[in-house]
Amino acid sequence: MDFQLPAELTRLLAELDGFIEREIKPLQEQDDNQRFFDHRREYARTDFENGGVPRPEWEELLAEMYRRADAAGWLRYGLPKEVGGSGGTNFDMAVIREHLAHKGLGLHNDLQNESSVVGNFPVVHMLLEHGTQEQKDEFLEGIFTLTRRVGFGLTEPEHGSDATWLETTAVRRGDDWIINGAKRFNSGMHSATHDVVFARTSGEPGDARGITAFIVPTDAPGFSVDFHWWTLNMPTDHAEVTLRDVRVPNSAILGEEGGGLAVAQTFVHENRIRQAASGVGAAQYCIDRSVEHARQRKTFGQPLAKRQAVQWPLVELHTEAEMVRGLVRKTAWELDRVPHEEISDKVSMCNYRANRLVCDAADRAMQIHGGLGYTRHLPFEHIYRHHRRYRITEGAEEIQMRRVAGYLFGFTGPRSRRAE
């Protein structure tokens, strides 16, 4: 087995680095845009007087980065050619996401917003796999040009990972559906034009079938964005949403009626492996910066690097990063070759281990850098605050472990089907 990166991918990374140096770094450095990335970042980005949502200046900077990346052919790299992409594979995207996160904080790859010069578009993948041609025509190009912004409304006040127990309902009335319910941590609602809302349309609580995804305009009567939750990492885009007799046409259904969980799985599967790759890259950044600091910083007449109390925790993290990197790349390679459900447990392994790894690495980097590591003048607290969310969102690590256990013991996955 050849463990070397393909020469074409290595060349691609070099070209990507060149684009960032020419186009993105100068943009980050002009007009005091650095305020969004240095110790002022949380305050520069957050409109605290307007519910804690992103400031318009911050979002406009991200939009300009998007425009430049799209014009240069990078933004859609991981998407099919039918939507202007390059057909980048899961393996390509895993390597690229790790590479970009390993560069540290910057406009090239701001994970707080899932914003990157090489875009991650789970909603696009949902539309490509489940959308009608009319839905694709209406939304796809608009998502890239930011004239269409689509939120994701699955979690509810009383239900998160137990998505089969949703209390939001949709009832057919002639050619329309009437939706009632509430969503929590509904992402992107400060600027969304539409929201993918999951509601029960048939069956009983706990049934996997009977949940349907609807594309709902956010200006529909009865659709209310009540407030945004302030989170550990700010600004926030996690809204509390209420739907009261919201009427949508039958054409608003995304995917199959009653098959909404398959739509949701498309969203999270696309994200989980790439989040894992980003976690490895950010963890390695924290490790490398800590090693560099330990070699330079002297205490009691000797570099910190000579202290076993400093060496061994970094050795443990460096070893785990190497192991998780191998698992992430192998799993991404397999995702390009076998049906996703066959290796869903491996995706879960990658996700929860990488999310833990980067949190541990950021915490250790703060410790090794001492008092300065605790300040916002260094990036580690920001990295920790951002990545800590992924141990909860889109499947908490306990849910990921539950998925692995299901495959391991034959309760779910290919072994359970063979047993039947």
Side-chain angles (χ1 to χ4, degrees):
M1 184 180 294
D2 186 359
F3 291 96
Q4 292 293 320
L5 291 181
E8 179 65 18
L9 184 53
T10 301
R11 179 191 61 78
L12 189 80
L13 294 176
E15 291 180 358
L16 179 58
D17 288 344
F19 165 72
I20 292 170
E21 290 294 327
R22 292 190 309 273
E23 290 283 339
I24 304 304
K25 280 193 175 181
L27 177 61
Q28 179 176 327
E29 292 166 359
Q30 75 182 40
D31 300 328
D32 196 30
N33 287 334
Q34 194 61 39
R35 71 189 186 278
F36 297 113
F37 304 96
D38 62 21
H39 60 283
R40 302 168 290 173
R41 53 189 168 260
E42 188 170 23
Y43 291 91
R45 298 177 181 196
T46 308
D47 191 344
F48 288 102
E49 289 71 39
N50 188 33
V53 300
R55 293 189 189 275
E57 308 94 296
W58 167 231
E59 297 222 305
E60 178 51 40
L61 179 61
L62 294 175
E64 178 59 23
M65 180 275 284
Y66 264 59
R67 288 188 284 268
R68 295 188 184 196
D70 202 18
W74 290 110
L75 185 68
R76 311 186 199 190
Y77 173 81
L79 296 173
K81 294 182 180 180
E82 65 185 273
V83 290
S86 299
T89 65
N90 284 297
F91 179 79
D92 292 343
M93 288 296 290
V95 172
I96 290 169
R97 297 283 283 185
E98 179 191 340
H99 179 78
L100 292 174
H102 188 208
K103 288 177 172 290
L105 303 188
L107 183 57
H108 66 284
N109 191 66
D110 191 82
L111 295 175
Q112 181 187 51
N113 297 70
E114 289 296 339
S115 173
S116 175
V117 291
V118 180
N120 188 35
F121 294 106
V123 171
V124 171
H125 287 283
M126 284 169 48
L127 286 164
L128 288 173
E129 185 166 341
H130 301 284
T132 64
Q133 189 58 51
E134 291 74 16
Q135 289 169 340
K136 294 175 186 177
D137 291 342
E138 179 177 359
F139 289 102
L140 285 177
E141 191 61 28
I143 289 173
F144 303 127
T145 59
L146 303 178
T147 58
R148 286 286 186 270
R149 294 175 181 257
V150 182
F152 187 79
L154 181 61
T155 299
E156 297 185 350
E158 300 299 329
H159 301 284
S161 297
D162 55 342
T164 58
W165 294 80
L166 297 184
E167 295 180 35
T168 299
T169 62
V171 178
R172 187 187 287 273
R173 292 286 185 268
D175 293 331
D176 294 338
W177 292 84
I178 307 299
I179 306 175
N180 281 280
K183 296 297 176 181
R184 176 162 290 174
F185 306 132
N186 200 158
S187 56
M189 299 314 297
H190 67 287
S191 61
T193 59
H194 295 76
D195 194 23
V196 178
V197 174
F198 294 83
R200 182 162 290 284
T201 52
S202 63
E204 299 296 326
D207 290 348
R209 293 288 303 177
I211 293 172
T212 302
F214 296 88
I215 304 177
V216 181
T218 56
D219 60 358
F223 189 101
S224 172
V225 179
D226 301 327
F227 65 92
H228 284 78
W229 291 93
W230 287 34
T231 56
L232 182 65
N233 206 16
M234 294 290 281
T236 177
D237 68 347
H238 301 294
E240 194 86 350
V241 169
T242 303
L243 300 100
R244 299 182 180 88
D245 294 329
V246 175
R247 182 182 292 268
V248 295
N250 195 59
S251 60
I253 291 178
L254 176 58
E256 178 188 356
E257 180 182 332
L261 288 187
V263 178
Q265 282 297 315
T266 301
F267 184 99
V268 298
H269 241 138
E270 287 294 334
N271 259 2
R272 283 174 180 167
I273 191 67
R274 295 174 189 180
Q275 284 174 0
S278 295
V280 173
Q284 194 66 61
Y285 171 81
C286 292
I287 295 165
D288 292 348
R289 287 286 299 270
S290 296
V291 169
E292 180 183 0
H293 176 75
R295 290 171 62 88
Q296 295 174 354
R297 174 73 166 174
K298 290 184 178 180
T299 61
F300 304 99
Q302 288 188 322
L304 278 177
K306 290 194 174 184
R307 316 290 183 189
Q308 287 184 339
V310 171
Q311 293 173 355
W312 289 6
L314 289 175
V315 167
E316 294 275 15
L317 289 166
H318 189 54
T319 301
E320 186 172 359
E322 188 68 22
M323 292 189 294
V324 176
R325 177 182 297 109
L327 178 61
V328 168
R329 292 185 178 183
K330 176 178 178 289
T331 303
W333 181 85
E334 290 181 316
L335 281 172
D336 293 323
R337 288 163 174 78
V338 301
H340 288 196
E341 62 269 16
E342 291 189 13
I343 57 168
S344 184
D345 60 328
K346 301 298 191 302
V347 175
S348 290
M349 290 179 190
C350 292
N351 189 263
Y352 90 84
R353 292 304 302 184
N355 290 337
R356 280 191 192 176
L357 169 64
V358 63
C359 288
D360 289 346
D363 182 76
R364 178 54 52 181
M366 283 189 271
Q367 191 71 20
I368 289 175
H369 283 78
L372 286 178
Y374 184 67
T375 72
R376 299 190 180 204
H377 293 260
L378 294 182
F380 307 117
E381 57 82 30
H382 180 85
I383 293 171
Y384 179 88
R385 286 189 290 112
H386 167 72
H387 284 276
R388 185 61 181 84
R389 66 181 280 196
Y390 290 131
R391 294 179 62 189
I392 300 172
T393 60
E394 295 181 32
E397 61 184 38
E398 292 84 0
I399 294 299
Q400 308 294 351
M401 295 172 75
R402 183 170 180 260
R403 172 63 60 88
V404 176
Y407 274 58
L408 180 64
F409 290 98
F411 301 135
T412 58
R415 285 183 59 191
S416 68
R417 290 196 294 272
R418 284 198 295 271
E420 295 172 356

